[in-house]
Amino acid sequence: MKITLIYPAVGRKEGKSYVKAWQMQPLSMAVLASLMPPDVETCFYDDRMEVIPYDEPTDLVVISVETFTALRSYAIAAEFRQRGVPVVMGGYHATLIPEEVQEHAEAMVIGDAEPVWSQLLADARSGQLKAVYDGRGRRELGNVRPDRRIFADRSYQNITLVEYARGCNFKCDFCSITAVHGASQNHRPARDVAEEMEQTGSRRFFIVDDNIVSQPGKARELCRELLPLNISWVGQASIHVANDDDLLAAMVASGCRGVLIGMESINAANLKAMGKDWNTAHATYESSLRQFRKHGLAVYGTFVFGYDEDDWAVIEESVDFAREHQLFLAAFNHLVPFPGTPLYRRLLTEGRLLQQKWWLEPTGRVGDVVFRPKKMAPAELEAGCLWARREFYGWSSIFGRLFDREANASSATMLGVYLGLNLGSHFDIDLRQGLQLGLAPNHQVKRHGKVRVHARHG
């Protein structure tokens, strides 16, 4: 039996290559590859960087669908189905809006794949695929062993992705992660994660958990296991960890060099509306950032604009704040109403969505505002986000934030990373803005050969 795994691209610009900074290893594909038994031949194609060979013989196609890749995923699925090849779809979008995804595939996985994959394969072998395989509520993370051989010969970013936990214990109203997992988080054994990291041979890691400190005790377990490895890692964390000196020290000792912090807004009313007023409940942003800097941790701060109190003044103040506090990196994005979230339901009820299924609009582009903000026109909010990125990643800002010897330039290595990422962001701003959703590549790129994988290894 031969199975083809496909990871779709978000979108493209005519005549332009895909955004290089977004080309990280798709970890979910390696996890799926690891679930295949020895007699299954597995091929993998990354739509972001290679041509999909629709006419290559295969018995089953598996596509991971996110909301931003839905339009492209459905087009890819249609090509295979026209050739008589059954398609299985899974991923966050399939769990968030299964009734839509089901129209484009013979079978669909809701929730986690691990609990249902062996049954799905058995049904595929017998030609009796069921419409839905529901892996929710049966999480099995004890034996996750991603098979990274499928990434061979591809030019991904020089950082290895690793998963420790799925889910998050907080309830932000815009978050699709919470919509999928609820306010819960499940962990792999910390020892397994450390062994996996050691076996990759890599020294630089991104731990992809949506909130690595959501359960502080579990974070400490992982830090203890990583301590002997002499690696560097970054991860996403909620800002309340700034109040825990011991945990911050443990993270740094284990190799943590930076944290992505969802600051979201400097406006208290906005924080309350999104369910993140706890961001500043016990400490100000200023004091929290001092804590991170004291421990030598670089901060990637993310901000979101479009809540009811946002106007041009809030955007300008946010950029000034990010520059003043010398954030290592920052993201300035508009609010995105993902299906299945409380935010989406609220905007739909209030009649503020410009398109109910905005992710299926054939003219939709990355950066489009798809709802009516209270204090700004949609086009004005789009322009504000773009202005914020250009201002923060302008030459004077990059140079000014460079002189932070506690975090941004604490060593020659950190200085090099700072310059590489900030310069890359400077030149990528216009390439990222306006990618057309669902657009297929209009140029030939390298096609990779198939990779045979076996069940999991030793």
Side-chain angles (χ1 to χ4, degrees):
M1 185 179 187
K2 179 178 175 180
I3 296 179
T4 299
L5 305 177
I6 295 179
Y7 193 77
V10 169
R12 296 182 185 273
K13 279 188 173 182
E14 290 285 353
K16 301 287 186 180
S17 59
Y18 199 76
V19 181
K20 182 66 176 176
W22 291 354
Q23 293 182 19
M24 292 188 180
Q25 298 172 352
L27 186 59
S28 60
M29 297 288 96
V31 172
L32 280 179
S34 74
L35 301 178
M36 304 297 182
D39 63 336
V40 169
E41 179 185 349
T42 303
C43 294
F44 167 60
Y45 294 100
D46 192 327
D47 184 46
R48 300 171 299 175
M49 54 203 312
E50 59 195 324
V51 171
I52 298 173
Y54 295 108
D55 292 320
E56 183 177 276
T58 189
D59 298 302
L60 187 69
V61 168
V62 180
I63 304 175
S64 177
V65 189
E66 300 172 6
T67 302
F68 273 110
T69 66
L71 197 60
R72 177 66 179 145
S73 298
Y74 300 157
I76 293 170
E79 290 286 346
F80 283 107
R81 297 177 87 191
Q82 288 171 9
R83 292 163 170 78
V85 180
V87 171
V88 176
M89 286 187 168
Y92 279 116
H93 195 68
T95 303
L96 289 169
I97 188 164
E99 64 278 7
E100 173 190 295
V101 175
Q102 196 167 8
E103 298 175 5
H104 301 274
E106 278 64 43
M108 176 179 58
V109 175
I110 300 175
D112 290 355
E114 290 91 345
V116 299
W117 199 250
S118 60
Q119 184 60 56
L120 186 151
L121 290 181
D123 293 345
R125 290 179 192 273
S126 64
Q128 297 180 324
L129 277 172
K130 299 181 179 65
V132 177
Y133 294 84
D134 194 339
R136 292 173 297 183
R138 292 184 286 157
R139 182 148 290 161
E140 298 174 1
L141 300 182
N143 293 306
V144 173
R145 291 287 190 278
D147 191 337
R148 291 181 170 83
R149 289 178 300 168
I150 64 170
F151 301 147
D153 301 325
R154 291 174 174 85
S155 300
Y156 289 113
Q157 289 291 303
N158 184 28
I159 189 167
T160 302
L161 277 58
V162 176
E163 178 188 46
Y164 180 34
R166 293 181 194 170
C168 176
N169 288 119
F170 294 106
K171 297 181 179 180
C172 306
D173 85 320
F174 59 82
C175 184
S176 58
I177 304 302
T178 297
V180 168
H181 299 291
S184 65
Q185 188 178 47
N186 301 89
H187 291 76
R188 297 170 59 193
R191 182 66 231 152
D192 288 0
V193 178
E195 288 177 354
E196 177 190 338
M197 294 168 81
E198 189 171 25
Q199 289 166 5
T200 66
S202 176
R203 312 306 301 170
R204 300 175 64 228
F205 295 90
F206 173 32
I207 300 177
V208 301
D209 304 10
D210 296 285
N211 188 350
I212 198 166
V213 298
S214 185
Q215 295 181 28
K218 290 291 186 179
R220 286 183 171 84
E221 285 182 28
L222 181 63
C223 290
R224 285 193 292 270
E225 295 293 345
L226 299 185
L227 194 59
L229 300 187
N230 190 29
I231 58 170
S232 296
W233 63 271
V234 295
Q236 302 175 87
S238 47
I239 200 167
H240 77 286
V241 72
N243 302 315
D244 193 332
D245 262 316
D246 290 342
L247 180 51
L248 288 178
M251 290 168 62
V252 172
S254 71
C256 185
R257 299 293 175 259
V259 285
L260 187 153
I261 302 292
M263 305 180 77
E264 319 306 4
S265 181
I266 61 173
N267 182 281
N270 283 340
L271 288 174
K272 184 174 182 180
M274 67 180 72
K276 290 198 73 166
D277 47 341
W278 48 264
N279 258 13
T280 54
H282 302 291
T284 64
Y285 279 151
E286 290 81 359
S287 62
S288 294
L289 289 173
R290 282 196 298 271
Q291 278 286 93
F292 291 126
R293 186 168 288 109
K294 182 182 79 172
H295 287 273
L297 286 169
V299 174
Y300 181 170
T302 64
F303 299 84
V304 61
F305 303 129
Y307 273 93
D308 291 353
E309 299 301 317
D310 284 332
D311 55 16
W312 260 103
V314 172
I315 295 176
E316 291 174 347
E317 290 167 13
S318 300
V319 175
D320 289 344
F321 177 91
R323 292 186 61 176
E324 177 188 351
H325 291 280
Q326 298 178 297
L327 297 187
F328 192 86
L329 296 168
F332 303 95
N333 298 316
H334 64 76
L335 195 57
V336 178
F338 288 101
T341 62
L343 171 68
Y344 183 91
R345 291 191 290 270
R346 175 167 62 82
L347 292 176
L348 180 62
T349 300
E350 294 173 359
R352 294 168 61 188
L353 290 177
L354 299 180
Q355 298 95 21
Q356 187 168 338
K357 290 194 173 186
W358 54 265
W359 54 90
L360 297 183
E361 289 296 315
T363 58
R365 296 179 182 274
V366 173
D368 288 354
V369 173
V370 298
F371 69 100
R372 296 183 184 87
K374 279 285 180 70
K375 294 187 175 183
M376 308 177 77
E380 189 179 12
L381 178 55
E382 290 173 18
C385 293
L386 191 55
W387 173 86
R389 296 178 199 124
R390 287 173 174 161
E391 186 73 11
F392 185 79
Y393 290 109
W395 296 120
S396 63
S397 174
I398 292 175
F399 183 75
R401 291 180 287 111
L402 177 63
F403 294 99
D404 171 15
R405 297 193 179 278
E406 291 179 287
N408 297 355
S410 60
S411 67
T413 298
M414 287 299 292
L415 175 61
V417 173
Y418 172 87
L419 288 173
L421 292 177
N422 276 270
L423 292 175
S425 295
H426 172 89
F427 291 110
D428 271 355
I429 290 172
D430 291 315
L431 182 59
R432 300 178 189 214
Q433 184 77 7
L435 274 72
Q436 185 173 338
L437 301 182
L439 191 66
N442 58 1
H443 60 286
Q444 293 293 310
V445 292
K446 181 180 178 182
R447 178 179 296 173
H448 296 277
K450 57 193 177 184
V451 179
R452 178 180 290 275
V453 299
H454 304 279
R456 62 184 64 112
H457 343 289

